[in-house]
Amino acid sequence: MIKPRDIDLLVQADVLYPMMSNEEIILNAEVAIINDQIVYAGPKLNNKSWNAKEIILGDGKAVMPGFVNCHSHAASLVFRSQSDDGAGGKALYSVAFRAEATITTEQWRDFARVGVLDMIKAGFTTINDIWYEPETLAEICVEAGLRAQIAYKVFDVCLEDLYLNHYNHSSKTADMRLKRGVDFVKKWGGAGNGLITGRIGPHATDTCSSELHQNAYIEAKKLKVGRHTHAAQSAGEVAYIRSKYGVGPVVYLQELGVLDQDLVLAHLTYADQADLKAAASEGVKYAHCSTIYPRRGVYPDIIEITKKGIQWGLATDWMMNDPFEAMRNALNAIRLKQGKHTAYTSTEALFGSTTNSAKVLGLEGSIGKVQEGFKADLIQIDINQPHLVPFYAEYASIAYYARASDVVTSIINGKIVMKDRVVIGIDETKALEAVAKHIPTLSDKMLKLGGAVHPGLCPCGF
Ligand SMILES: [Zn+2]
């Protein structure tokens, strides 16, 4: 008789989406985990196969790899409803950028905690974040158990002056910020049993001088980490780069010698053919934030991006942390743009937000699939819901019908981080209260900057 194999965790499922290249979906399945690794994923074996320390049953559940968010700002939720309408540029520059300058470390910490909570509850198991206070985000990710690539937002202009079209690059600010970015990578890279990876984050093509872009490249190479930058995000950015350098923003980065396969570019919304050609020829990775683009009334040329062979994955950008919303917005927008219902399929959307996003982050060998030898990063979805039945176990069943609130279990690096929708490492009540506490000060700030605050809404009577 064969002795049962000792494992740490057995996760069962009525339906398993391993996200392998053969697109197979397995019914009545199970996933066996030892430490942080998947040691088996496939049809249920004989019940004497495993000696598991813990079992998560799979009745009425689908299991798939956790979603990978290849461009996020966990703490940016502070601007929810403040820069959505009119976000084509005005509110971003006049409200958000000016408000950011006055937000304290403690406030960013409180926002980041709720952002991380929101991401885990929505089904993300990995994020790629660039923002202020990366140290506090890393701390929270370690506490909560979320896998994260994190960069400090490095720039050398006064973001709060950009709404006046004032670009004053300061080399002192550049050195100071780049140093903090480098120190962050040195201190936090590998923390949390490998959950945290550092990146260097030159914020955007126009908010860093040429010298800063090049120095960021040099430092990232020394540290052997990737970089993360916003490119061709707004018409203003493109106009500034064109007026100064006579080329589009991606060609500009190519001429600086800083494009390579370790760089993740977010947006490419206003990228032209020459920009896309430059990105493709240097093997740059691309984060496609499908929820924010329709909201701003513009959409990147994703068909051309795909045709040129640029590796891209789905992302959320800021304020919205919902991978299901990201998939459906991409499905709707790409089909409308193409005028074809086959332009982007539900299967592509699910691969786009798991395995392809993992490729964007250089993690294709370890996450994004439920496969033997991969890291145990997976989620369980409750499929016994009025909006999901009858569940025919297709890719379409998840891509069109599942909701973030259906994610009931999250396992990251082999550890259960959410059970029955309770995120174990974060006290949800306290986290929400901490954010509510900041409403009076923030409302005042947003109002002064032309935000959309309704004074009567604050529970404190503000
Ligand atoms: Zn962004």
Side-chain angles (χ1 to χ4, degrees), residues 359-381:
K359 284 181 194 164
V360 168
L361 300 186
L363 296 174
E364 60 270 35
S366 55
I367 61 163
K369 290 178 198 281
V370 181
Q371 184 190 344
E372 189 183 324
F374 270 55
K375 295 278 182 197
D377 286 16
L378 46 107
I379 55 171
Q380 255 190 344
I381 293 173

Side-chain angles (χ1 to χ4, degrees), residues 39-79:
V39 295
Y40 174 81
K44 254 187 211 168
L45 300 178
N46 178 313
N47 61 7
K48 297 206 172 56
S49 301
W50 311 111
N51 177 28
K53 283 186 193 150
E54 191 164 3
I55 299 175
I56 298 179
L57 297 174
D59 299 329
K61 307 290 189 302
V63 164
M64 62 173 283
F67 290 100
V68 178
N69 192 349
C70 51
H71 177 69
S72 72
H73 310 291
S76 71
L77 49 86
V78 60
F79 299 119

Side-chain angles (χ1 to χ4, degrees), residues 132 152-162 166-179 201-216 240-241 244-245 252 256:
Y132 306 93
Y152 176 51
K153 183 170 170 172
V154 175
F155 53 89
D156 58 9
V157 294
C158 281
L159 285 187
E160 60 269 39
D161 289 346
L162 289 193
H166 288 171
Y167 281 91
N168 297 315
H169 295 279
S170 150
S171 58
K172 204 173 142 207
T173 309
D175 293 347
M176 202 180 69
R177 287 187 170 270
L178 185 54
K179 184 181 180 306
H203 167 249
T205 65
D206 61 334
T207 58
C208 301
S209 64
S210 303
E211 200 188 2
L212 178 52
H213 279 297
Q214 286 171 321
N215 288 340
Y240 173 75
I241 296 291
K244 212 164 165 198
Y245 305 102
Y252 161 63
L256 291 179

Side-chain angles (χ1 to χ4, degrees), residues 71 73 130 230 233 266-267 317-318:
H71 177 69
H73 310 291
I130 168 169
H230 296 75
Q233 179 181 16
H267 305 313
D317 201 8
W318 65 342

